[in-house]
C-alpha cells in the first residue's frame, strides 16, 4: 500500500510539474536580476533590473545606490533609496533623464540616505513587466509596471495619517510644481553624464488617483511647506495622504525629452484610463510576443532561464529616443543640436560591443526594429555630422573603432531596405576619412592609417593596434557595401586595399599582432600579456584574432592551419597571467579573465568572444563545439552573478542566444553564420516574414555536444557555416549529435566559412 501511495504521489507531482512547465511563457523564464551582483572591481554583468517594454524610451529600476552612482541597483545591497526612471546603458556611462519616487510613512524624510528602507529579495518579485517589493521600514509594498514612455505605480500603505510620496528630481538643475487640484506634479530633471546639449531636460508628469493631505516642495536639505513650485540645483516634492491599512494609492507617470505638454501626451496616449493590472497585462503580452520569436525546448530549467534572461537583455538597448507628437508624427529631441526634429532616433549603445552579435541578432529576429535604428542613424549623421560609435544619448568619448560601418553594412547585406542607404554610405565614407569632434568619433589617427596602413604606436594615440585592426575590418564592411551599391571601381578598390591593413601589424616572430612605430619598426619591448597600451581592454592574445573578414589570411601569416590551431589552443591552456602596468591596477576585465579558469580566454570582454568559432576555419570544428559548449555551461547562469563580465547592452547575451541556436555571426557584413553546437533539443525561430526555422538536435545532451551531421531541409550540409538568405526562406536545420568528436566532418577547405583570402 505504501508503495502504491508513493507511486500515486510521484505521478501527481510529475503531472503538476508538466502542467506548470507547459503554462510558463517566455517572460516567466526571465530573471532581470541576472548580472546585478557586480562591483567596480568585478563585473558579473553590471546590469540592473529594467522594468520596461522592449526598446522602451524609459526604464524603471529600484535604486539601491546613491544618486549619481552608476551602480544603481546592486544585488548585495540591503536598502532601497527610491524607484528611478533610468536611461543608463552602463554604469561606466552612467545615466541621464533620471528622477526617483519613494514612499515613506511616519516621519517625513526626503533625503536619499534618511528615506532609504531595508528590503529583502525574499519579499521582492522581479519580471520585465512587473516589479514588487516590500519596504520594511515603512510597511509599504511598491509595485511597478511600464509602457515605452510611461509607467504605473501601486503603493499599498499601512494605517497612517503620515503616508507620503517623495519625488526627487536630482541635482544639477531641476524643477517641480505641485498642482493639488489636478492631483498632479510636473517638473524636469537635467542631470546627465554628458552627450547632451545645454538645453537638455527630461520633463515628467505624475498623476495620482487620490487628493493630497499635504503638499510641500524641497531643495537640497530644506523642506519648504508654503511653496508648491521649486526650481533649484536639487529640487523635489512631497505629497501626503491619510491611509487605512491596505489602502492602495495609484500613480501614473510619464516623461518626455521635448516638453511637459509632450510628457502629458505620452501619459494620456500610453496609459490613459488603464488600470495598473491592464497595463501590466499589456506589457506581459508584448514581452511574450517579443521573446516568443524564439521557442526553446528540450533543455534544463536552468538553461531555459539563462536563455530567456539573455534574450531579454538583447531587446533592451538601444532605447527609443523618439516620441509621437499631437498629430501622431514621429519626432525626437536631438542630443546633437538640441532641436526637436522629425523622424526616428535611438540612443544608448556602444558599437564597439554590439556590432559583433547584437545587431546581427536584430537583423535575424527583429529587422523592422533595426530598420528604425538605421533611419535613426541617418538623423544622427544629419544632426551630429558623424555617426555615433557610442551614444548616451549623443556622442560619448569612449572605446575605439569605426564600427558604425559594420552596423550599417550588415543590415543592408542581410536584406534590410526602405531607408536612405546612400545617405548612410555617405556617413560611412565621412567617418572613415575624418577625425571626429571626439577621439571616439570618426577615426582617431586616420591620416596615419590612410598613409602608412596603420596607426603608429609612437605618435601618442592610445590603443593604436586595436584601432588599426578595427579600422581594417570596418573597411571590409565598407567594401562590401560599396560593391552592393555599385560604387565607382576606384572607390571599391581603395577599401579593398585598406581592409588588408591588418597585415601591417602581424609580427612573424611572435605570430601575434604588435604595435608598430612610425618608422616601420615594431614597438619594443613587447609583452603579449600587457593589457591596454596598443590594445583596448585586452592584450595581444585577445586582439590578434580580430581579422573577422580574413581568417584564412591570418592563418597564412601564422604559417598554416597547424600553427593557427596551436595558437588557438594556447589561449585556453596558458595560465591567466597579465601585465596591468598600463592601467596601474587590475581593471575588472583582467580580474574576470583571471578567475574563470579558462587560461587567457577573456569572454567577459568582447574582442575575443568570436575566437572559439575560428577552429572552423582550420578544419577542426569539433574544438569549436567543445569550447562553445564549455563557455555556455560555465560562463552563464540565470543568477545575480550570472555573467562573466559586463553584459554590455545585449552583446554578451547575444553571444549566448546565437550560440544556443548552434551558429554565430563571426563576420558581420557577410551573409554567413559559423556553426557551433546547439544547446537545446529543439528551437523554433519565428521570422518577421512569416517563415519558421526549426533547429532540431533530438540526441542533444550534456555529453552529446559534438556534431556528426547537419541537414538543411533534409539535405546534408557539409559546410561549417549557414547562409542568412537560406534561413530567411524558412526550413529545418537538423543536427545529429554524439558524445565523441567527428574528426572528418568540416576538414575540407571547401566547407570552411568565408575568408577574403579564400575567395
Amino acid at each position: 500500500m505504501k508503495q502504491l501511495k508513493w507511486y500515486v504521489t510521484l505521478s501527481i507531482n510529475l503531472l503538476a510539474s508538466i502542467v506548470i512547465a507547459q503554462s510558463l511563457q517566455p517572460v516567466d523564464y526571465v530573471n532581470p536580476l541576472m548580472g546585478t551582483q557586480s562591483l567596480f572591481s568585478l563585473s558579473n554583468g553590471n546590469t540592473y533590473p529594467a522594468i520596461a517594454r522592449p526598446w522602451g524610451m524609459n526604464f524603471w529600476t529600484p535604486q539601491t545606490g546613491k544618486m549619481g552612482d552608476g551602480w544603481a541597483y546592486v544585488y548585495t545591497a540591503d536598502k532601497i533609496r527610491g524607484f528611478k526612471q533610468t536611461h543608463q546603458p552602463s554604469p561606466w556611462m552612467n545615466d541621464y533623464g533620471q528622477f526617483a519616487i519613494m514612499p515613506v510613512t511616519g516621519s517625513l524624510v526626503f533625503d536619499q540616505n534618511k528615506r532609504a528602507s531595508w528590503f529583502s529579495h525574499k519579499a521582492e518579485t522581479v519580471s520585465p513587466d512587473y516589479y514588487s517589493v516590500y519596504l520594511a521600514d515603512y510597511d509599504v509594498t511598491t509595485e511597478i509596471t511600464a509602457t515605452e514612455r510611461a509607467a504605473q505605480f501601486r503603493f499599498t500603505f499601512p494605517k497612517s495619517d503620515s503616508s507620503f510620496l517623495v519625488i526627487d528630481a536630482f541635482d544639477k538643475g531641476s524643477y517641480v510644481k505641485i498642482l493639488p487640484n489636478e492631483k498632479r506634479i510636473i517638473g524636469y530633471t537635467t542631470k546627465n553624464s554628458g552627450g547632451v546639449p545645454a538645453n537638455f531636460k527630461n520633463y515628467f508628469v505624475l498623476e495620482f488617483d487620490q487628493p493630497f493631505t499635504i503638499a510641500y516642495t524641497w531643495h537640497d536639505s530644506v523642506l519648504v511647506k508654503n511653496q508648491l513650485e521649486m526650481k533649484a540645483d536639487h529640487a523635489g516634492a512631497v505629497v501626503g495622504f491619510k491611509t487605512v491599512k491596505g489602502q492602495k494609492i495609484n500613480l501614473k507617470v510619464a516623461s518626455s525629452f521635448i516638453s511637459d505638454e509632450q510628457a502629458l501626451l505620452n501619459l494620456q496616449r500610453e496609459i490613459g484610463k488603464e488600470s495598473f493590472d491592464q497595463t501590466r497585462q499589456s506589457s506581459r503580452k508584448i514581452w511574450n510576443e517579443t521573446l516568443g520569436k524564439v521557442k526553446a525546448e528540450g533543455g534544463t530549467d536552468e538553461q531555459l532561464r539563462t536563455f530567456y534572461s539573455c534574450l531579454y537583455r538583447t531587446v533592451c538597448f538601444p532605447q527609443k529616443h523618439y516620441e509621437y507628437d499631437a498629430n501622431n508624427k514621429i519626432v525626437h529631441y536631438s542630443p546633437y543640436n538640441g532641436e526637436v526634429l522629425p523622424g526616428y532616433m535611438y540612443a544608448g549603445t556602444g558599437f564597439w560591443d554590439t556590432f559583433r552579435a547584437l545587431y546581427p541578432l536584430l537583423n535575424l529576429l527583429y529587422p523592422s526594429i533595426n530598420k528604425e535604428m538605421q533611419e535613426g542613424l541617418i538623423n544622427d549623421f544629419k544632426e551630429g555630422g558623424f555617426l555615433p560609435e557610442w551614444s548616451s544619448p549623443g556622442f560619448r568619448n569612449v572605446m575605439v573603432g569605426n564600427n558604425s560601418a559594420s552596423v550599417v553594412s550588415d543590415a543592408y547585406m542581410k536584406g534590410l531596405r526602405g531607408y536612405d542607404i546612400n545617405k548612410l554610405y555617405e556617413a560611412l565614407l565621412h567617418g572613415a576619412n575624418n577625425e571626429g569632434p571626439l577621439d571616439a568619433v570618426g577615426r582617431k589617427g586616420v591620416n596615419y592609417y590612410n598613409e602608412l596602413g596603420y596607426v603608429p604606436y609612437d605618435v601618442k594615440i592610445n590603443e593604436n593596434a586595436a584601432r588599426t585592426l578595427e579600422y581594417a575590418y570596418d573597411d571590409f564592411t565598407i567594401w562590401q557595401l560599396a560593391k552592393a551599391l555599385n560604387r565607382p571601381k576606384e572607390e571599391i578598390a581603395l577599401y579593398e586595399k585598406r581592409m588588408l591593413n591588418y597585415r601591417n601589424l602581424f609580427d612573424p616572430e611572435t605570430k601575434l599582432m604588435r604595435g608598430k612605430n612610425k618608422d616601420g619598426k615594431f614597438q619594443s619591448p613587447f609583452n603579449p600579456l600587457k593589457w591596454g597600451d596598443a590594445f583596448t581592454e585586452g592584450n595581444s592574445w585577445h586582439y590578434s584574432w580580430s581579422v573577422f573578414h580574413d581568417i584564412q589570411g591570418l592563418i597564412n601569416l601564422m604559417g598554416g592551419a597547424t600553427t593557427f590551431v596551436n595558437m588557438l589552443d594556447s589561449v585556453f591552456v596558458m595560465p591567466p597571467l597579465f601585465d596591468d602596468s598600463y592601467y596601474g591596477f587590475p581593471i575588472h576585465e583582467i580580474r574576470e579573465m583571471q578567475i574563470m579558469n579558462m587560461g587567457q580566454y577573456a569572454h567577459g570582454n568582447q574582442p575575443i568572444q568570436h575566437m572559439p568559432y575560428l577552429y572552423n576555419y582550420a578544419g577542426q570544428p569539433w574544438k569549436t563545439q567543445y569550447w562553445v559548449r564549455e563557455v555556455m555551461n560555465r560562463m552563464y547562469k540565470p543568477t545575480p552573478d550570472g555573467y562573466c563580465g559586463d553584459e554590455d547592452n545585449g552583446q554578451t547575451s547575444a553571444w549566448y542566444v546565437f550560440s544556443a541556436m548552434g551558429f554565430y555571426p563571426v563576420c558581420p557584413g557577410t551573409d554567413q553564420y559559423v556553426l557551433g553546437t546547439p544547446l537545446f533539443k529543439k528551437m523554433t525561430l519565428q521570422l518577421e516574414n512569416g517563415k519558421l526555422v526549426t533547429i532540431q538536435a533530438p540526441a542533444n545532451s550534456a555529453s552529446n555536444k559534438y556534431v556528426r551531421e547537419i541537414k538543411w531541409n533534409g539535405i546534408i550540409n557539409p559546410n561549417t557555416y549557414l547562409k542568412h538568405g537560406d534561413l530567411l526562406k524558412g526550413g529545418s536545420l537538423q543536427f545529429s549529435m554524439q558524445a565523441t568528436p567527428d574528426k572528418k566532418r568540416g576538414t575540407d577547405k571547401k566547407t570552411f566559412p568565408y575568408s577574403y583570402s579564400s575567395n
Side-chain angles (χ1 to χ4, degrees):
M1 182 62 73
K2 288 182 179 179
Q3 188 173 3
L4 178 61
K5 286 182 178 179
W6 174 85
Y7 178 78
V8 170
T9 302
L10 180 63
S11 299
I12 291 172
N13 290 338
L14 182 59
L15 181 61
S17 299
I18 293 171
V19 170
I20 291 171
Q22 288 177 340
S23 66
L24 290 178
Q25 294 182 294
V27 73
D28 298 317
Y29 288 107
V30 176
N31 181 11
L33 298 182
M34 180 175 171
T36 59
Q37 189 174 312
S38 297
L39 302 166
F40 174 89
S41 58
L42 181 69
S43 173
N44 287 309
N46 266 333
T47 62
Y48 56 85
I51 315 306
R53 294 280 175 93
W55 305 286
M57 189 177 87
N58 301 329
F59 295 171
W60 285 89
T61 194
Q63 178 192 352
T64 64
K66 290 183 178 180
M67 180 181 64
D69 186 349
W71 285 263
Y73 179 100
V74 176
Y75 188 80
T76 51
D78 47 35
K79 288 186 178 181
I80 287 177
R81 299 165 181 268
F83 301 95
K84 186 173 82 160
Q85 179 184 277
T86 178
H87 303 91
Q88 179 173 295
S90 161
W92 311 108
M93 281 293 156
N94 217 299
D95 210 347
Y96 63 94
Q98 55 200 298
F99 62 96
I101 300 165
M102 182 68 177
V104 300
T105 58
S107 299
L108 199 172
V109 288
F110 55 88
D111 174 86
Q112 63 167 332
N113 295 318
K114 295 177 180 178
R115 74 187 185 224
S117 171
W118 282 82
F119 81 106
S120 168
H121 298 299
K122 299 178 183 68
E124 182 185 43
T125 301
V126 193
S127 179
D129 62 308
Y130 174 76
Y131 179 84
S132 174
V133 69
Y134 177 69
L135 300 174
D137 289 324
Y138 304 120
D139 192 20
V140 173
T141 296
T142 297
E143 299 171 273
I144 310 172
T145 190
T147 68
E148 289 187 343
R149 299 166 188 84
Q152 293 225 49
F153 283 74
R154 184 164 62 194
F155 303 98
T156 303
F157 280 93
K159 181 180 180 180
S160 174
D161 58 2
S162 302
S163 293
F164 307 104
L165 282 169
V166 176
I167 290 81
D168 187 343
F170 285 21
D171 61 357
K172 307 304 181 185
S174 50
Y175 167 81
V176 294
K177 183 177 182 180
I178 306 173
L179 305 168
N181 293 337
E182 301 173 47
K183 295 179 289 189
R184 184 182 293 168
I185 299 174
I186 61 172
Y188 63 74
T189 175
T190 67
K191 191 172 180 64
N192 66 83
S193 306
V196 298
N199 70 344
F200 170 80
K201 291 182 175 70
N202 186 245
Y203 301 87
F204 55 79
V205 56
L206 296 84
E207 285 190 349
F208 299 81
D209 69 342
Q210 296 175 41
F212 315 139
T213 56
I214 67 161
Y216 303 149
T217 57
W218 57 273
H219 66 88
D220 305 306
S221 60
V222 180
L223 185 68
V224 182
K225 294 187 176 182
N226 59 354
Q227 192 171 322
L228 297 179
E229 189 172 11
M230 178 62 64
K231 183 178 181 182
D233 175 71
H234 187 176
V238 180
V239 291
F241 309 89
K242 184 177 181 179
T243 57
V244 298
K245 182 175 176 59
Q247 183 171 342
K248 291 177 169 52
I249 292 178
N250 291 280
L251 166 63
K252 298 176 179 180
V253 56
S255 75
S256 168
F257 293 109
I258 295 172
S259 66
D260 50 8
E261 295 87 359
Q262 182 66 45
L264 182 58
L265 183 60
N266 291 343
L267 182 64
Q268 293 170 340
R269 180 182 282 129
E270 296 197 6
I271 291 183
K273 296 182 179 180
E274 276 188 359
S275 69
F276 182 96
D277 290 330
Q278 286 174 323
T279 300
R280 181 185 176 186
Q281 288 166 8
S282 296
S283 187
R284 178 177 173 83
K285 182 175 183 289
I286 288 172
W287 275 109
N288 278 323
E289 288 173 351
T290 304
L291 301 176
K293 296 296 182 183
V294 184
K295 183 179 181 182
E297 303 174 81
T300 65
D301 182 72
E302 180 181 272
Q303 288 169 338
L304 286 166
R305 294 186 184 281
T306 303
F307 179 83
Y308 283 108
S309 297
C310 285
L311 188 58
Y312 152 74
R313 289 290 171 189
T314 69
V315 298
C316 285
F317 290 99
Q319 293 173 294
K320 294 177 179 178
H321 193 74
Y322 64 84
E323 304 172 54
Y324 294 88
D325 68 12
N327 297 314
N328 216 33
K329 301 292 186 183
I330 296 168
V331 294
H332 64 269
Y333 166 82
S334 174
Y336 303 101
N337 59 28
E339 298 177 20
V340 177
L341 297 166
Y344 291 106
M345 184 163 286
Y346 281 75
T349 192
F351 294 154
W352 183 85
D353 305 290
T354 54
F355 85 84
R356 305 164 194 269
L358 186 278
Y359 278 90
L361 187 69
L362 297 180
N363 291 331
L364 178 62
L365 296 178
Y366 310 103
S368 61
I369 289 292
N370 198 14
K371 179 178 177 291
E372 288 187 8
M373 294 176 185
Q374 299 297 316
E375 292 187 60
L377 287 174
I378 294 171
N379 292 323
D380 291 333
F381 176 54
K382 288 179 177 178
E383 297 159 28
F386 285 83
L387 293 179
E389 301 300 332
W390 233 116
S391 66
S392 183
F395 295 135
R396 298 299 296 274
N397 201 27
V398 65
M399 309 315 290
V400 303
N402 180 217
N403 299 307
S404 55
S406 176
V407 171
V408 169
S409 178
D410 190 55
Y412 193 80
M413 300 307 291
K414 297 281 176 61
L416 272 66
R417 297 293 186 271
Y419 53 94
D420 190 351
I421 187 60
N422 290 303
K423 176 59 71 172
L424 280 177
Y425 183 79
E426 177 189 334
L428 298 193
L429 293 189
H430 182 69
N433 291 285
N434 292 278
E435 292 193 345
L438 305 172
D439 288 355
V441 179
R443 292 189 180 184
K444 181 70 173 176
V446 65
N447 292 331
Y448 291 115
Y449 177 81
N450 288 350
E451 292 170 14
L452 300 176
Y454 60 95
V455 181
Y457 179 83
D458 58 347
V459 295
K460 298 183 179 180
I461 297 177
N462 66 327
E463 300 167 15
N464 39 81
R467 294 179 193 274
T468 299
L469 293 171
E470 295 197 28
Y471 294 166
Y473 162 70
D474 297 331
D475 285 334
F476 163 79
T477 66
I478 295 174
W479 175 68
Q480 286 281 80
L481 187 55
K483 291 187 297 177
L485 297 178
N486 295 314
R487 298 292 298 182
K489 291 182 179 180
E490 300 80 8
E491 189 171 288
I492 293 172
L494 175 64
Y495 290 95
E496 184 175 19
K497 177 184 177 183
R498 287 180 179 173
M499 73 182 184
L500 299 177
N501 283 339
Y502 74 88
R503 296 173 178 174
N504 296 325
L505 295 190
F506 183 79
D507 172 21
E509 182 181 348
T510 61
K511 295 180 173 58
L512 294 167
M513 298 295 175
R514 182 173 176 178
K516 182 177 281 189
N517 293 329
K518 188 178 177 182
D519 64 5
K521 296 180 181 178
F522 284 113
Q523 57 96 186
S524 183
F526 172 59
N527 180 0
L529 299 180
K530 185 176 184 179
W531 282 61
D533 197 21
F535 301 98
T536 302
E537 295 181 1
N539 61 36
S540 182
W541 276 102
H542 305 144
Y543 249 99
S544 291
W545 316 105
S546 295
V547 188
F548 312 95
H549 56 296
D550 195 17
I551 300 301
Q552 184 59 52
L554 182 61
I555 292 171
N556 295 342
L557 289 174
M558 286 187 175
T562 300
T563 302
F564 179 79
V565 168
N566 287 339
M567 294 290 284
L568 289 173
D569 290 343
S570 297
V571 171
F572 294 112
V573 299
M574 293 171 66
L577 302 176
F578 58 87
D579 175 350
D580 63 1
S581 59
Y582 177 76
Y583 300 105
F585 66 98
I587 61 174
H588 74 93
E589 291 90 350
I590 292 177
R591 194 68 74 202
E592 288 140 20
M593 177 199 74
Q594 182 191 27
I595 65 176
M596 288 303 166
N597 192 25
M598 209 173 272
Q600 285 290 317
Y601 183 68
H603 191 79
N605 214 22
Q606 282 66 39
I608 203 169
Q609 286 181 352
H610 67 294
M611 171 257 175
Y613 284 90
L614 300 188
Y615 288 103
N616 285 285
Y617 295 77
Q620 295 192 21
W622 57 91
K623 288 186 177 178
T624 287
Q625 294 153 25
Y626 174 83
W627 285 113
V628 166
R629 185 67 69 89
E630 284 291 295
V631 174
M632 283 193 282
N633 288 341
R634 291 164 57 180
M635 303 280 188
Y636 293 81
K637 303 289 181 184
T639 55
D641 63 345
Y643 291 102
C644 58
D646 284 351
E647 195 283 322
D648 281 329
N649 307 120
Q651 165 55 32
T652 300
S653 292
W655 186 96
Y656 186 91
V657 171
F658 265 123
S659 294
M661 293 179 188
F663 50 88
Y664 185 80
V666 168
C667 186
T670 68
D671 187 48
Q672 291 186 3
Y673 303 103
V674 179
L675 286 163
T677 178
L679 187 61
F680 296 92
K681 293 182 185 297
K682 184 179 180 182
M683 298 182 80
T684 305
L685 314 184
Q686 182 181 321
L687 305 183
E688 280 190 359
N689 63 8
K691 303 293 185 181
L692 296 179
V693 175
T694 59
I695 303 167
Q696 296 175 305
N700 212 351
S701 67
S703 58
N704 287 356
K705 55 178 170 276
Y706 295 106
V707 177
R708 177 176 59 81
E709 183 180 77
I710 295 175
K711 290 182 178 179
W712 174 247
N713 288 334
I715 300 173
I716 292 176
N717 173 19
N719 301 321
T720 53
Y721 63 87
L722 301 170
K723 290 188 175 181
H724 178 81
D726 290 339
L727 294 180
L728 288 188
K729 297 174 185 176
S732 174
L733 181 64
Q734 298 167 295
F735 288 85
S736 296
M737 308 297 293
Q738 60 187 32
T740 55
D742 184 332
K743 296 188 177 181
K744 294 182 179 179
R745 189 187 179 281
T747 57
D748 188 333
K749 283 190 173 183
K750 294 178 182 178
T751 66
F752 293 0
Y754 173 87
S755 286
Y756 170 78
S757 293
S758 300
N759 293 272

